Amino acid sequence: MPRSDELRKRRVALVLQGGGALGAYQAGVYEALHRHHLAPDWVVGTSIGAINAALIAGNPPPARVARLREFWQGVACDDALDMHSTLDAVRQYNTWLTTLGTMAQGVPGFFAPRVPGAFAAGLAVPPQAASYYDTAALAATLGRLVDFGHLASAGAMRLTVAAVHVTTGKLVAFDSAHQALGVEHVMASGALPPGFAPVCIDGELYWDGGLYSNTPLELVLDDEPRTDTLCFMVDLWRGDGPAPRTLGEVQARQKDVMYASRSTRHIEAYRRMHDLRHAVRVLHAALPPELRNSPEMRKFGEVGCDTTMHIVRLTYPGRDWGMASKDINFSRGSLEWRWQQGLRDAERAIEQAGWLAPAPADTGLVVHEFPVATGDTDDRR
């Protein structure tokens, strides 16, 4: 096992994707980081990733895992049977029933159906009521479990949550490094329509950031000033998958493609930009001193960099029986499995610690992928 002091030589960032109930996997990943003294300096999230990020950054280190667990236990729906001691077909049926119950009744501490359902009936309503569900319960839960005062204190973990400005369609990053964050910023990042209504912040309406970019990796890639970074990126949706054959499989595949990470494009763009920045640094260093120190050339030199970013990519491996509704499957057994799977996957990544190996000279970005371990794709989840 690598020593924690070896692992902590770089800034550590954690990027959390949106994915509803699949977000329990992210909580397991964080628990592994916490165990190995790799708690991030900066956590970036969208949707459920923003909620997990707020629970992490908005609490002192000893309380973080406990607050995550309190949230996920609070939103879990009890199963009608023991999910660990019955046939797979019965587990699937139980999960289907639990999901139907979530759609009809909501999730305690998270959301509840709007009554009366004027919006569902097609009637015009105020924008902040334009949704099937009311998330007042989530606001209360976040207010209880997240210490926003701690988040604003000196030395607190940096938190960034992404949301979409409703009327312009632009992605907006709310960042504790530049402003005070509150419940409304986290709520806005998770306001996925038409299930949830937009959230008003300073007179403007915001929706779920996943509508624009479900994996806000670019916020870390573009951050200034540049510094050596170890970034754990947690994906909840898979871009690859088998060809669907049924209506349910088509719907599930459609959702995977819609919300899977687009990070490959951002990573390649970052690589090209880093190569250019490196060339600028080398060129600036080769200039004669009198030219290198001129005001114009000093600005030119500031563009160059020689930093390295390692991205550790962890992807939720569950198949969930090909269910399109897997992100609203709050079955207690499913949430517990996802948490434990995230913990195991992150432990495996930390054990390998590929980012400790020397990177080739002038390499700006290294991506560490981990194949799904044998047995990790059990159809029970």
Side-chain angles (χ1 to χ4, degrees):
M1 175 67 67
R3 301 194 314 271
S4 60
D5 58 340
E6 293 176 324
L7 297 174
R8 284 289 344 194
K9 290 180 180 178
R10 308 170 178 89
R11 175 179 71 173
V12 177
L14 177 62
V15 176
L16 303 177
Q17 192 182 68
L22 304 180
Y25 178 81
Q26 298 171 340
V29 169
Y30 175 76
E31 182 178 10
L33 299 182
H34 180 80
R35 286 184 181 183
H36 292 277
H37 308 289
L38 272 172
D41 307 292
W42 181 20
V43 60
V44 183
T46 292
S47 199
I48 195 64
I51 292 173
N52 279 329
L55 291 165
I56 294 167
N59 283 288
R64 289 170 183 163
V65 173
R67 290 292 178 267
L68 283 167
R69 197 171 300 281
E70 188 173 351
F71 173 80
W72 285 102
Q73 289 180 346
V75 299
C77 299
D78 290 333
D79 297 303
L81 44 85
D82 183 355
M83 292 281 277
H84 301 287
S85 60
T86 189
L87 297 175
D88 184 66
V90 178
R91 283 189 283 265
Q92 182 178 2
Y93 182 68
N94 172 83
T95 301
W96 180 72
L97 287 178
T98 302
T99 304
L100 285 180
T102 294
M103 296 172 66
Q105 302 172 12
V107 173
F110 202 150
F111 59 89
R114 290 189 181 275
V115 180
F119 174 77
L123 301 178
V125 297
Q128 288 172 266
S131 65
Y132 295 129
Y133 299 98
D134 185 333
T135 55
L138 176 60
T141 297
L142 291 173
R144 179 170 54 87
L145 297 181
V146 179
D147 183 348
F148 288 97
H150 169 80
L151 183 62
S153 64
M157 184 187 296
R158 181 180 176 185
L159 170 65
T160 306
V161 297
V164 170
H165 189 259
V166 172
T167 56
T168 65
K170 294 180 179 179
L171 186 69
V172 177
F174 298 113
D175 192 333
S176 66
H178 307 297
Q179 65 188 113
L181 300 187
V183 169
E184 66 276 15
H185 299 96
V186 182
M187 296 281 291
S189 185
L192 183 65
F196 302 154
V199 174
C200 186
I201 300 175
D202 297 329
E204 301 292 336
L205 294 173
Y206 295 91
W207 268 331
D208 192 308
L211 293 173
Y212 186 99
S213 176
N214 199 39
T215 308
L217 177 65
E218 63 268 31
L219 298 178
V220 177
L221 295 177
D222 296 337
D223 188 52
E224 297 280 358
R226 297 183 181 276
T227 183
D228 289 340
T229 300
L230 171 59
C231 177
F232 290 88
M233 184 176 75
V234 187
D235 290 339
L236 301 178
W237 306 88
R238 301 187 70 92
D240 60 326
R245 298 170 298 173
T246 67
L247 174 60
E249 290 176 354
V250 167
Q251 292 172 328
R253 191 78 200 100
Q254 178 191 28
K255 230 174 190 181
D256 278 329
V257 172
M258 285 174 58
Y259 293 120
S261 174
R262 303 293 185 268
S263 300
T264 300
R265 181 184 65 214
H266 297 303
I267 287 170
E268 290 309 314
Y270 182 88
R271 279 199 177 107
R272 290 193 297 270
M273 181 57 69
H274 180 275
D275 290 345
L276 179 60
R277 285 175 175 268
H278 174 74
V280 167
R281 184 179 67 87
V282 172
L283 179 60
H284 183 263
L287 293 174
E290 63 276 10
L291 182 58
R292 184 170 61 243
N293 294 325
S294 68
E296 294 80 5
M297 288 299 101
R298 280 202 300 269
K299 290 181 180 179
F300 179 71
E302 290 172 359
V303 175
C305 74
D306 59 353
T307 60
T308 301
M309 180 176 295
H310 289 261
I311 297 177
V312 181
R313 193 168 188 174
L314 298 167
T315 303
Y316 171 64
R319 291 176 180 160
D320 295 83
W321 301 285
M323 294 173 58
S325 58
K326 58 188 176 183
D327 54 326
I328 54 173
N329 168 22
F330 285 86
S331 153
R332 189 174 300 279
S334 293
L335 297 185
E336 290 173 353
W337 185 90
R338 291 165 184 161
W339 183 303
Q340 290 304 312
Q341 190 59 54
L343 176 62
R344 286 193 293 268
D345 287 353
E347 290 271 8
R348 186 160 55 100
I350 294 169
E351 177 67 34
Q352 295 182 23
W355 54 88
L356 292 180
D362 308 327
T363 297
L365 188 146
V366 182
V367 179
H368 306 272
E369 303 264 10
F370 296 89
V372 175
T374 304
D376 285 354
T377 57
D378 192 326
D379 275 331
R380 290 181 298 178
R381 300 288 182 266

